[in-house]
Amino acid sequence: MLVAAAAAGALVAASGVGLGLWAASDGDGPAAGSATASAGTAQASPSPSRSYPLSRAPRTIPAVRDHTAGRGPGWRPERTHRVVVNDGALADEGRLIAGELGLTYAGEKDDERDGDLRLVLNRDAGANPESYTMTVRGGRVTVSGPGEAGVFHGTRTLKQEVRGAGAAPEGVVRDEPAKQRRGLMLDIARKHYTADWIEDRIRELGDLKFNELGLHFSDDQGFRVASDSHPEVVSEQHLTKAEVKRIVDLAASRHITVVPEIDSPGHLGAVIAAHPDLQLRDVNGRAVRGAIDIAKPGSAEIVDDLLDEYAGLFPGGRWHLGGDEYQALAVSDPEASFPGLAAAARERYGSGATVEDLTTGWLNDRAATVRAHGRTPRAWNDGFFRGGSARAAKDVEVAYWTGKEIGARPPAEYLGEGREVVNYNDEFLYYVLGEPLTFVYPTGERIYEQWTPLVLRGTTAVPERYDEQVLGGSLAVWGDIPRAQTQDQVAAGIRLPLAATVQKLWDPDPPELSWEEFRNLADELD
């Protein structure tokens, strides 16, 4: 964390000696009465600003990455203050923060008044659209950024400052995330969550500057979103399309992308229950739980029908295809156990092809389906295989969660192939209800003190040279034993892990606060 907490540090930051994070400022550098002015000689004329101590950096989660200190009263919201914007595109952000702080939203205005909170869009194609600058000076606040998301993040910083300290400190904040994907994934297939509860999580995620919510809504235990193309697969407890639209719209207003997941070719038990003819069977005729027979054309047809249908319901840029734990590959000799799959593989890929090749082909075909809708595909790491006649498409993001599967590949193999990876490390980021097998509930303390985005598997980090390929990370809530916790218990259980996770995704430097200090801050801001 880079904080100019002393006058000398403020002078350096104000003089334009860059930190390498932001190519250009918004023109709101320190002025008279700021840290630069206060760093003058003892002979300088006195000014009213000298009666104020040098400000300290805001106390927020995630912590701001750069603060240039200043001298002044700061800014405290009052009912007579306005929120004004320079661009109508910021109307939603303006109305939201006005309502949260009890201010008046005045829309697009050119005049300046005491106490104004001004939101400014400075469109700069070369800048990080999630970056922002917040200037507190002269009894006013300006939050500016190259994109709407950045301005929104700036309002979250301001909201936390007011909630925690009652006021925003004088000075200039320059801030941006280190990682572009910062997420929470919810398994709503095995445990049904109400739309209201999911919306509450979206508000929580937005305030913490997360930008992704994954919804795993199809599994063996349930299919939880209404369907027009295949209503027969939908579970009794499910989200209506109207509820999903409300969730997606609320997420978009917080600059959060909802990433849907229909896991296949495993974890399709709810679909198979309505279409038992598509269930995979071994050489002895035994049904394989949750596994669809990928040699049958009908299997691809039903999954593609669903992917096509939901493309309009989930308009975000990414789509999770699953791809994990296909039970045909969990036996010692898949070709002998599933001769039908082996024959289909040889027919498609040649005489030496395997069931792994056919499974890779399935993943590529589903990737093509969502790619046609402008989506970037993502799949769990155990859906990618070493060698073979078929290779997973290069643009499929790797959701790395484990290294415990048969033929497990270390994270560096995926990265060495040039693949982009999102960190779901099950040693730190898996919140599995009921703690089955070897899982234990993750703690914010362990994430805060031991995990980084480069720790993809176990507790060992991949080499620093792969940093740009690790797009970010996600906490994942799984419903293996759905009744083990209520919705409220899940919300309470993930509160501190979420805070710790976003701190490590936003700022690449070791945290300045101890865990106890960070936990106390989280309680103050709650």
Side-chain angles (χ1 to χ4, degrees), residues 383-402:
F384 298 76
F385 309 108
R386 182 185 290 116
S389 301
R391 304 299 295 273
K394 284 288 188 181
D395 67 331
V396 183
E397 293 177 352
V398 179
Y400 198 98
W401 72 282
T402 190

Side-chain angles (χ1 to χ4, degrees), residues 123-421:
R123 300 183 189 276
D124 181 353
N128 183 340
E130 292 195 285
S131 65
Y132 69 92
T133 299
M134 183 171 70
T135 303
V136 180
R137 184 185 303 124
R140 300 187 184 96
V141 182
T142 300
V143 178
S144 63
E148 296 166 47
V151 175
F152 173 74
H153 293 327
T155 67
R156 300 306 89 192
T157 293
L158 182 62
K159 178 184 176 182
Q160 286 195 24
E161 290 176 323
V162 170
R163 176 175 288 182
E170 202 84 2
V172 181
V173 168
R174 293 182 177 87
D175 203 12
E176 68 177 347
K179 292 299 180 183
Q180 63 175 272
R181 311 312 306 172
R182 306 177 304 280
L184 168 66
M185 193 229 73
L186 294 173
D187 172 9
I188 65 172
R190 280 176 273 200
K191 182 178 179 65
H192 174 68
Y193 294 90
T194 65
D196 288 344
W197 186 89
I198 296 172
E199 289 174 4
D200 284 343
R201 303 289 71 70
I202 290 170
R203 296 183 184 95
E204 179 182 7
L205 294 175
D207 283 353
L208 289 170
K209 304 187 179 81
F210 280 87
N211 65 0
E212 191 170 285
L213 172 66
L215 294 180
H216 172 97
F217 63 86
S218 172
D219 213 303
D220 296 342
Q221 295 82 355
F223 193 102
R224 304 293 183 180
V225 174
S227 171
D228 297 320
S229 65
H230 290 282
E232 74 281 0
V233 307
V234 179
S235 301
E236 182 178 355
Q237 281 190 309
H238 65 272
L239 297 174
T240 67
K241 287 192 172 182
E243 288 175 323
V244 172
K245 185 178 187 305
R246 204 173 74 209
I247 287 167
V248 169
D249 288 349
L250 178 64
S253 75
R254 266 63 174 178
H255 299 277
I256 295 170
T257 298
V258 178
V259 181
E261 181 189 356
I262 298 176
D263 201 347
S264 76
H267 295 282
L268 278 174
V271 172
I272 292 168
H275 295 271
D277 57 306
L278 298 180
Q279 186 160 30
L280 178 66
R281 294 181 179 274
D282 68 13
V283 67
N284 297 311
R286 289 189 292 264
V288 181
R289 185 172 185 263
I292 204 164
D293 189 338
I294 59 177
K296 292 184 176 181
S299 296
E301 290 172 8
I302 191 170
V303 173
D304 283 347
D305 283 348
L306 294 167
L307 294 176
D308 287 334
E309 176 184 357
Y310 292 123
L313 189 61
F314 296 98
R318 281 168 166 75
W319 197 291
H320 205 310
L321 297 170
D324 64 313
E325 297 181 322
Y326 188 44
Q327 293 304 304
L329 301 175
V331 297
S332 59
D333 189 345
E335 286 69 42
S337 296
F338 301 98
L341 297 183
R346 291 191 295 271
E347 181 179 353
R348 182 170 183 178
Y349 296 108
S351 59
T354 65
V355 175
E356 279 191 356
D357 294 320
L358 191 68
T359 307
T360 297
W362 171 276
L363 176 65
N364 286 340
D365 291 344
R366 306 294 76 74
T369 299
V370 300
R371 196 183 295 115
H373 295 285
R375 308 299 194 268
T376 297
R378 183 182 297 176
W380 299 111
N381 65 281
D382 50 330
F384 298 76
F385 309 108
R386 182 185 290 116
S389 301
R391 304 299 295 273
K394 284 288 188 181
D395 67 331
V396 183
E397 293 177 352
V398 179
Y400 198 98
W401 72 282
T402 190
K404 302 181 178 72
E405 75 277 12
I406 294 174
R409 302 170 63 197
E413 277 198 26
Y414 303 86
L415 296 164
E417 294 173 357
R419 295 191 180 277
E420 294 182 321
V421 176

Side-chain angles (χ1 to χ4, degrees), residues 56-71:
R56 295 189 177 186
R59 287 166 52 82
T60 60
I61 296 175
V64 301
R65 294 180 62 187
D66 177 66
H67 176 247
T68 301
R71 295 185 188 275

Side-chain angles (χ1 to χ4, degrees), residues 475-492:
L475 191 74
V477 179
W478 293 101
D480 289 44
I481 304 176
R483 295 184 180 180
Q485 288 193 340
T486 65
Q487 289 187 147
D488 289 344
Q489 287 173 324
V490 172

